[in-house]
């Protein structure tokens, strides 16, 4: 069943990257300090939840704010270079598919354990629930993970209407492209390219409507240019907190990269620099 999406009026920040905050935590996955995101996880998918990026769900329930930002860079594979088809993820997640396996259609329908790449400091099972931002060849997007191996996503395609991992594009829960609207995502001419630096900035704030806890999720996509940081897109969407953070447990800052799928002829690592504030 499609979970409810609640619209909220927001004003997205257009500040440049690199603000200063108190006691900002970081995790650097650049193949120097820690391994980058690989292609050796479940079905070429990869993710990592650093221990120092977990937050209290109660912060949202009390009307507080949690933040993440990450700088992504897709590496040139060195051969058979093709346009990127995958996406990067910055999210807060809960739960995991511990001990579970699933079919990978990109490896001859082989059954694989749902674990991240072994290069990381620890093996982790794929997360169940969550909400966050995606950076795709179509630019900025929002994604919600339902806990049943399905998800809903929005970007500037499909008339900004909800896309389901089960049914594909729908005409439901469509977003505006106007920042003055209740719930929106702006549009941009965007191409995801290797070696470029992209910042994704995620802010969540809790609020209450009629005794129910909601979370307002804001996002920004920023690209580094020789002249400075440029805001490419921004947007907002709201959700029932318990629908996507249903456990009485912390929410974990998570960075991930999706499978390149049929584009696996040009596998590439993704470097990521992750912070829990600074903007």
């Amino acid at each position: 069943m499609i979970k409810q999406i609640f619209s909220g009026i927001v004003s997205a920040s257009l500040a440049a990257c690199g603000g200063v905050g108190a006691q900002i935590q970081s995790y650097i996955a650049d193949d120097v300090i820690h391994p980058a995101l690989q292609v050796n996880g479940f079905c070429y998918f990869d993710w990592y939840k650093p221990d120092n990026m977990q937050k209290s769900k109660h912060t949202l329930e009390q009307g507080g704010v949690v933040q993440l930002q990450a700088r992504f860079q897709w590496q040139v594979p060195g051969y058979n270079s093709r346009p990127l088809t995958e996406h990067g993820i910055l999210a807060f997640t809960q739960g995991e598919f511990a001990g579970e396996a699933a079919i990978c259609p990109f490896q001859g329908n082989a059954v694989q354990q749902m674990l991240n790449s072994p290069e990381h400091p620890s093996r982790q099972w794929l997360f169940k629930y969550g909400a966050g931002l995606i950076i795709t060849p179509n630019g900025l997007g929002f994604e919600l993970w339902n806990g049943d191996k399905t998800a809903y996503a929005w970007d500037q395609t499909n008339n900004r209407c909800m896309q389901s991992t089960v049914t594909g594009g729908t005409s439901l829960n469509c977003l505006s492209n106007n920042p003055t609207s209740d719930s929106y995502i702006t549009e941009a001419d965007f191409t995801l390219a290797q070696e470029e630096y992209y910042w994704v900035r995620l802010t969540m704030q809790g609020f209450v409507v009629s005794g129910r806890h909601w979370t307002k999720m804001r996002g920004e996509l920023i690209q580094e240019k020789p002249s400075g940081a440029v805001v490419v897109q921004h947007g907002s969407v709201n959700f029932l907190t318990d629908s996507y953070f249903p456990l009485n447990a912390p929410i974990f800052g998570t960075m991930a990269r999706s499978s390149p799928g049929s584009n696996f002829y040009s596998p590439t690592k993704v470097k990521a620099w992750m912070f829990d504030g600074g903007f």
Side-chain angles (χ1 to χ4, degrees), residues 96-112:
E96 59 184 16
F97 292 103
E100 294 197 33
I103 291 173
C104 175
F106 307 121
Q107 290 188 333
N109 290 328
V111 176
Q112 299 180 347

Side-chain angles (χ1 to χ4, degrees), residues 200-266:
V200 179
R201 298 165 66 176
L202 171 64
T203 299
M204 292 187 181
Q205 183 168 16
F207 63 101
V208 177
V209 175
S210 301
R212 305 185 76 182
H213 292 285
W214 294 85
T215 294
K216 177 180 295 183
M217 177 165 59
R218 301 186 184 101
E220 291 178 301
L221 170 59
I222 298 169
Q223 186 170 1
E224 290 186 26
K225 298 284 189 180
S227 58
V230 177
V231 177
V232 178
Q233 289 176 276
H234 53 97
S236 177
V237 65
N238 292 1
F239 57 89
L240 275 168
T241 306
D242 280 339
S243 291
Y244 295 98
F245 302 137
L247 308 178
N248 186 22
I251 55 177
F252 289 87
T254 304
M255 57 182 178
R257 55 88 59 82
S258 73
S259 167
S262 60
N263 196 33
F264 189 70
Y265 296 105
S266 57

Side-chain angles (χ1 to χ4, degrees), residues 23-269:
Q23 298 181 345
I24 295 173
Q25 298 295 310
S26 66
Y27 185 86
I28 311 302
D30 62 352
D31 264 352
V32 177
I33 300 177
H34 298 290
L37 295 168
Q38 314 283 318
V39 288
N40 301 319
F42 166 68
C43 207
Y44 304 130
F45 187 49
D46 200 18
W47 62 92
Y48 195 67
K49 301 178 291 183
D51 290 338
N52 62 342
M53 291 293 167
Q54 62 179 291
K55 304 295 178 183
S56 173
K57 174 184 172 181
H58 299 304
T59 299
L60 296 175
E61 294 174 330
Q62 295 167 0
V65 173
V66 294
Q67 291 184 312
L68 289 175
Q69 67 172 325
R71 182 190 196 223
F72 290 101
Q73 185 194 42
W74 274 258
Q75 303 300 293
V76 174
Y79 63 94
N80 291 331
S81 183
R82 299 184 179 188
L84 292 168
T85 58
E86 61 186 86
H87 58 268
I89 298 168
L90 183 68
F92 284 106
T93 64
Q94 274 194 332
E96 59 184 16
F97 292 103
E100 294 197 33
I103 291 173
C104 175
F106 307 121
Q107 290 188 333
N109 290 328
V111 176
Q112 299 180 347
Q113 288 189 309
M114 302 177 75
L115 285 165
N116 64 347
S117 294
E119 289 86 350
H120 293 297
S122 63
R123 301 300 302 273
Q124 297 174 348
W125 296 98
L126 182 63
F127 52 86
K128 272 190 173 184
Y129 308 98
L133 305 177
I134 53 177
I135 171 175
T136 80
N138 299 316
L140 179 69
F142 296 98
E143 190 157 2
L144 302 172
W145 293 272
N146 299 314
D148 58 359
K149 301 177 185 175
T150 68
Y152 304 134
W154 294 258
D155 60 24
Q156 63 178 333
T157 64
N158 191 45
N159 293 318
R160 299 172 305 282
C161 297
M162 187 184 77
Q163 301 173 57
S164 166
T165 54
V166 176
T167 62
T170 74
S171 59
L172 304 172
N173 294 317
C174 302
L175 307 182
S176 170
N177 63 353
N178 188 337
T180 65
S181 298
D182 290 346
S183 192
Y184 75 96
I185 187 167
T186 58
E187 297 181 351
D189 182 10
F190 178 79
T191 300
L192 185 64
Q194 292 158 343
E195 294 193 300
E196 296 289 327
Y197 290 102
Y198 303 100
W199 288 83
V200 179
R201 298 165 66 176
L202 171 64
T203 299
M204 292 187 181
Q205 183 168 16
F207 63 101
V208 177
V209 175
S210 301
R212 305 185 76 182
H213 292 285
W214 294 85
T215 294
K216 177 180 295 183
M217 177 165 59
R218 301 186 184 101
E220 291 178 301
L221 170 59
I222 298 169
Q223 186 170 1
E224 290 186 26
K225 298 284 189 180
S227 58
V230 177
V231 177
V232 178
Q233 289 176 276
H234 53 97
S236 177
V237 65
N238 292 1
F239 57 89
L240 275 168
T241 306
D242 280 339
S243 291
Y244 295 98
F245 302 137
L247 308 178
N248 186 22
I251 55 177
F252 289 87
T254 304
M255 57 182 178
R257 55 88 59 82
S258 73
S259 167
S262 60
N263 196 33
F264 189 70
Y265 296 105
S266 57
T268 178
K269 295 180 181 180

